[in-house]
Amino acid sequence: MIRVTENLRKIRDLLAISAIEAERDPETVNLLAVSKKQPLDKILRVASLGQRDFGENIVQEGLEKIRATTEAGLTWHFIGHLQSNKTRAVAENFDWVHTIDKYKTAHRLSQQRPASLGPLNACLQVNIDNEPGKSGCASGEVAELAAACIELPNIRLRGLMCLPRIRHDFDGQRRPFARLRELSRTLANSGIETDTLSMGMTADYRAAIHEGATIVRIGTALFGERT
Ligand SMILES: *Cc1c(COP(=O)(O)O)cnc(C)c1O
């Protein structure tokens, strides 16, 4: 348990150092604590230290944790592959979804989002390395998908998300993140302003911060290995 406390402190420091290295304001880099396959006691511990944002990739597991932590007032992000028959539970329970890659999914989420909750914050997932069989829309589809999503009343398009293939060198890690940043700039030039780049995890957060990440999704470095 003590380790989670230490880990959180260490990660906050490392994120701030990376931001400063990249000549960015550390306040512009937000930590998303990826709590998938981690027990509730660790989540509550991290929450008690001021961490607000948590990410889950399985709908059912996320729902159980959301229900068990309502009093803590946390912000829940869905970061897993979204099947079309699971959209309702996400629309009704999560605050963010990072993994929209089809208009059909976005449309359903908007229809199913209860108006009382306000719009669902959304990122489009981009298959940035163009990997066969991987989730995410193609880079060439981002503009059209974004333009369609901003018309949906109960979704608020916040930005783009990616999950590049594993690379071990810093410069190699930066390239896909730079491409995502470029896509976001192209959107802005076409009049679609967004404020979020959801990119970087335990192994590559530093490269992501250098390329402008505003949300880094960290699991292992914070909670330890998943069970
Ligand atoms: C599991 C997961 C993470 C966190 O990965 P770590 O390597 O444990 O930091 C980030 N993003 C997504 C989409 C994930 O599924």
Side-chain angles (χ1 to χ4, degrees):
M1 250 341 147
I2 289 169
R3 194 174 298 152
V4 174
T5 307
E6 284 174 0
N7 288 351
L8 180 63
R9 197 189 347 257
K10 210 182 309 172
I11 288 161
R12 284 173 173 162
D13 285 349
L14 290 171
L15 297 184
I17 289 166
S18 296
I20 290 164
E21 265 179 9
E23 301 185 348
R24 297 182 52 199
D25 176 356
E27 297 282 318
T28 64
V29 178
N30 296 297
L31 172 62
L32 173 54
V34 176
S35 49
K36 64 187 189 194
K37 297 193 172 61
Q38 300 289 352
L40 205 54
D41 58 343
K42 282 191 183 178
I43 295 171
L44 290 170
R45 176 79 190 160
V46 169
S48 76
L49 300 166
Q51 175 64 28
R52 309 260 47 97
D53 291 278
F54 291 83
E56 289 286 333
N57 70 334
I58 306 283
V59 174
Q60 191 53 39
E61 182 183 340
L63 292 186
E64 285 164 20
K65 289 172 178 170
I66 291 170
R67 283 176 190 141
T69 58
T70 43
E71 285 183 14
L74 306 178
T75 299
W76 288 93
H77 299 242
F78 187 74
I79 60 170
H81 176 65
L82 193 48
Q83 292 166 290
S84 54
N85 62 339
K86 298 279 176 65
T87 52
R88 182 176 295 280
V90 171
E92 291 180 349
N93 293 280
F94 282 81
D95 303 292
W96 282 71
V97 55
H98 290 232
T99 47
I100 291 178
D101 61 2
K102 284 187 199 65
Y103 180 68
K104 184 180 160 193
T105 312
H107 185 255
R108 267 178 197 269
L109 286 168
S110 180
Q111 278 190 321
Q112 294 167 342
R113 178 71 169 174
S116 60
L117 294 181
L120 179 65
N121 295 291
C123 292
L124 306 182
Q125 181 176 2
V126 183
N127 182 358
I128 199 71
D129 284 319
N130 210 3
E131 294 173 272
K134 188 137 169 184
S135 297
C137 69
S139 299
E141 295 169 343
V142 170
E144 193 182 339
L145 183 55
C149 287
I150 60 169
E151 300 299 329
L152 295 170
N154 299 319
I155 280 191
R156 179 165 167 222
L157 183 67
R158 299 295 298 267
L160 304 177
M161 177 272 206
C162 72
L163 198 61
R165 69 176 171 77
I166 294 169
R167 295 172 175 87
H168 298 288
D169 63 303
F170 183 67
D171 291 332
Q173 288 179 348
R174 283 182 69 158
R175 279 193 292 273
F177 297 138
R179 290 201 295 273
L180 198 74
R181 173 169 49 71
E182 239 354 87
L183 285 171
S184 166
R185 239 167 59 96
T186 306
L187 276 187
N189 289 339
S190 76
I192 301 179
E193 293 273 358
T194 56
D195 62 8
T196 301
L197 285 172
S198 168
M199 55 189 200
M201 337 202 296
T202 293
D204 57 10
Y205 69 84
R206 185 167 160 261
I209 290 170
H210 276 257
E211 295 299 343
T214 64
I215 296 181
V216 290
R217 309 179 309 265
I218 306 280
T220 312
L222 175 57
F223 293 107
E225 293 297 330
R226 288 179 276 275
T227 49

